[in-house]
Amino acid sequence: MKVVWVFLCTLFYSVISLASGSESCPGAGNVALRAGVYTAPASRAGDEWIAVSSAVTASQLESFEGAVFYPENNQPGAAGRIGYCEYKARDRSRVNLYYRQRTANEHSMRLANVENWKMIESGLGLVVYECNAANASACAFSIID
């Protein structure tokens, strides 16, 4: 019985180590704007959220609007990559923040809070997941190491 317990504990901790914690879209108030570039820190050290304004004069973000996640191989499932988090700025323009990983070897991601993500299939066969929760932190995912 002790061997089974040790095996289960080892399995549990190895699964936990595969995911590096939860990440989510940053709240609009946590996004800094400087010289037309929007940035926000990510939970994972060295990673960040970033966007470059297309407006002549960029304005602060006002509200979170939603997020898009692209599943691997365009197949329904929880593994893939975060596409972007969308915000509305004070000047009514839309800003998409992208998740930038610190390494050139980008890691896959897995949806978290799956109940907040809705699968959408376009008429052209593109499969995406959308999160339209009112709170940016509800649109969560984890990085798979």
Side-chain angles (χ1 to χ4, degrees):
M1 183 65 167
K2 190 173 185 175
V3 172
V4 172
W5 176 253
V6 170
F7 174 75
L8 288 175
C9 287
T10 304
L11 181 63
F12 175 74
Y13 286 112
S14 65
V15 168
I16 288 175
S17 69
L18 287 176
S20 67
S22 186
E23 183 69 61
S24 66
C25 294
N30 295 329
V31 179
L33 171 60
R34 194 164 92 180
V37 178
Y38 296 92
T39 59
S43 297
R44 187 178 166 127
D47 292 358
E48 68 177 338
W49 291 93
I50 189 164
V52 176
S53 175
S54 60
V56 175
T57 305
S59 65
Q60 292 293 329
L61 299 183
E62 185 172 78
S63 63
F64 171 74
E65 299 294 310
V68 171
F69 185 89
Y70 299 110
E72 285 181 0
N73 303 318
N74 199 42
Q75 298 295 315
R81 297 205 161 285
I82 189 73
Y84 56 87
C85 297
E86 183 177 29
Y87 300 82
K88 183 172 70 174
R90 288 189 183 136
D91 65 1
R92 306 187 132 241
S93 65
R94 300 289 178 159
V95 175
N96 293 339
L97 254 61
Y98 296 92
Y99 189 82
R100 185 166 68 177
Q101 296 183 25
R102 70 180 176 272
T103 62
N105 243 3
E106 292 189 348
H107 299 284
S108 284
M109 300 167 184
R110 182 167 305 284
L111 290 177
N113 299 346
V114 193
E115 67 279 2
N116 295 327
W117 295 91
K118 178 182 174 188
M119 187 184 83
I120 308 280
E121 187 170 354
S122 74
L124 300 174
L126 178 66
V127 175
V128 299
Y129 287 85
E130 289 183 340
C131 178
N132 294 314
N135 189 347
S137 64
C139 299
F141 58 94
S142 60
I143 312 266
I144 303 169
D145 286 329

